[in-house]
Amino acid sequence: MPAPPSRVPAKALVTLLLVAAFCGQAVGALRPHVPLLLAATVLSLAVEGVLYRWQRDMLSVFAKSHADITVRHVLRDLLLVVGLLRLGEQHRETLYAPLVGGLLAFYALHCAIQAVSVLVRRTRTLPFLTRNIDASALRLSPAPPLLLRRPGHRLLAFGLPATAGLLATAATDEPWCAGLGVALSLGLALTGLYDLLVRLLPGRRPAGEREALRWLDAWLAEYRPTVGLYFSGGASSAYQANMWLEPLAKLEGRPLIVLRERFMVQKIGPTDVPVLCLPKVSTLMRLEECSLQALVHPSNSGKTSQVLRIPTLKHTFVNHGESDKLSSCNPYAKAYDEVWVAGPAARERYALAEVGVEDKDVAEIGRPQLDGLAPYAGPPRGAWTTVLYAPTWEGWDGNPGNTSLVEAGENLVRALLADPAVRLLYKPHPLTGSVDPRAGAADLRVRELIRAANRGRAAGERPGDGALARLTRELDRLTTITARAGADSMERMLVQSAPEPGRAEAVARTAAAWEEAYWASLPEGGHQVVTEVRPALYACFDQADLLVSDVSSVISDFLASGKPYAVANTSGLAEDVFRKAFPTVRAATVLTPDAAGVADLLDSVRRPGKDPWAQERAELKRHLLGPDEPSSQERFGDAVRALCSAALEHRARMAERLAAEAATEIPDQRRSATPQQPAHPG
């Protein structure tokens, strides 16, 4: 992807300055000219600092051009030595020979440190990662200092005394300055090498791969997991798994979270459920020998096919939301043993899509995440009508009908802000702008409209800031992994050990108190852009009197509240065709891209007698999400137990079949056959 135009001049300027500095050094060394040599060397060091602080992407460009930090640093010191030799008299060449030898030794140590650093990193890379599990038996330890793991930073830091000493000698003609600088650099390099070598000693080295895998098998045998949440994806997709953490934690038995990408371990939200990351397929297959019976899949990924190969497990697809999008009926779903949906609507959707999912394999479990959602309590009671605008993203295909942001977002927001009694909550999708830059640009314009409206509104004070700050600190303490900035994955495993008893309950209590303090702290009537992890979308549902959104799972989830909602139609379809094409719109007010119906919509929210969709919403809620009783969490638990039972029955049948085959196995003919005399030719 090309660099933004505004950054191109900066990159070009940095490159020109670095080239000019080395050219100046060369001229200053060969003429020789001390002021030019000093100025050029200082300039080159300053540019190196800029590169590592603000232009890190340029480092790879220089490396590909065979001008990495080692080459640049050697060239810089070489030119200084050449300058010293040119400045000195002939007999002083022997005086500077030890300096050259010291520099060569320093660079040799730099290469040795890098080689040992690679070895240390390999010993610290286990075949799996854990979280919420006591893995101290693997001899986990803190990571080496960050400086020893970054060759560029290390060379600049360790080599700076030598370079400074050479500069001082060039300025003062005192050879001891260069000698002292080189000695300091050698001392730093030797100290760093010693630190790394000690970590390779048998008593300090973490468990090897075989030992680690034996520990993993033993832990699985001791914990005896029954059901797992399997997830694989990109960094921005973690929300798909996070929404299932609480329902998973409430299940009976011993739940487990199975991940495939190492970075995802830190992306999974706060939970006390054990987390196991198995990057390699060979390690993943060890699940076949443990007590795990079923895996719940909230999303599809390329690595899903790998775990589906384990014959002892049953798999179910739950998706990360219910919507009328085609992605909710992905043909990949037929690869699972079962597909769990919220209600009858999704069952019908799969039948109509004809993607190979049989009706007998579909189970309705509701949406466990919505069990705690506040129900509709009538029209707004205070001075403000709170409207939540939660547009979805543009989707992988960039269809203009996916998100209302591009064509209708600004019009909708302007129309809502024009009503003096509206308090707007704007919560865009986390992936907004990731495919279509127009959506990202529209999102920024909407935020500016909201900021401008807040500036023009005389909002009240923030009465709860102190309580909110205190609760934020407490919630961060309970949910944040307190690993230092330079920690590697092994060190994070060490600090992310088994959670303290009662932590989950403390997190739930503190989170509820935080949400209450957050909403109390907002200026009365002030509009809000909600983009952080907290408050969550469902907390915004509880605050809202009305939802404005697109065709997405947000609509289905909001229907659990029974509150009014509206859908922006940017598909280009006529309203009757739009409603027919997307059943979730059946009980919604449909808004056109020009937002002409916003005023009537707000009036119907404030006056329930003018709400034409109240009865339709109640019926659609049952159609999309199923009945209120039993609760979704109960239905989810029942479905898990049934799937686990099916897995155990399957294992029993397979064991019987293998036993029967072993009992009827044909005897070895080499042992049972009577020896025959060789036939003689007649």
Side-chain angles (χ1 to χ4, degrees), residues 44 84 122 156 180 198 203 213 289 292 359 394 412 433 457 468 502 535 604 626 674:
S44 68
L84 290 177
R122 289 178 178 175
L156 282 175
L180 178 61
V198 167
L213 291 176
E289 305 299 327
L292 189 65
D359 187 70
E394 58 272 23
L412 290 171
R457 172 170 285 185
L468 180 63
S604 69
T674 302

Side-chain angles (χ1 to χ4, degrees), residues 411-429:
N411 294 334
L412 290 171
V413 170
R414 284 195 182 94
L416 291 168
L417 295 177
D419 190 312
V422 163
R423 179 180 69 145
L424 179 62
L425 304 179
Y426 173 57
K427 188 170 179 60
H429 192 284

Side-chain angles (χ1 to χ4, degrees), residues 115-126:
V116 177
S117 176
V118 171
L119 290 177
V120 170
R121 185 176 71 246
R122 289 178 178 175
T123 63
R124 297 182 61 82
T125 304
L126 297 174

Side-chain angles (χ1 to χ4, degrees), residues 6 205 210 243 290 313 339 405 457 491 594 636:
S6 59
R205 187 183 303 178
R210 291 184 179 180
M243 67 171 57
C290 76
L313 298 179
V339 174
L405 261 178
R457 172 170 285 185
E491 183 174 341
D594 61 3
F636 180 50

Side-chain angles (χ1 to χ4, degrees), residues 415-459:
L416 291 168
L417 295 177
D419 190 312
V422 163
R423 179 180 69 145
L424 179 62
L425 304 179
Y426 173 57
K427 188 170 179 60
H429 192 284
L431 296 180
T432 296
S434 60
V435 171
D436 189 347
R438 295 179 302 167
D443 170 56
L444 294 177
R445 292 194 295 270
V446 165
R447 298 188 192 204
E448 182 53 41
L449 286 173
I450 294 173
R451 282 192 290 267
N454 276 334
R455 289 194 294 267
R457 172 170 285 185

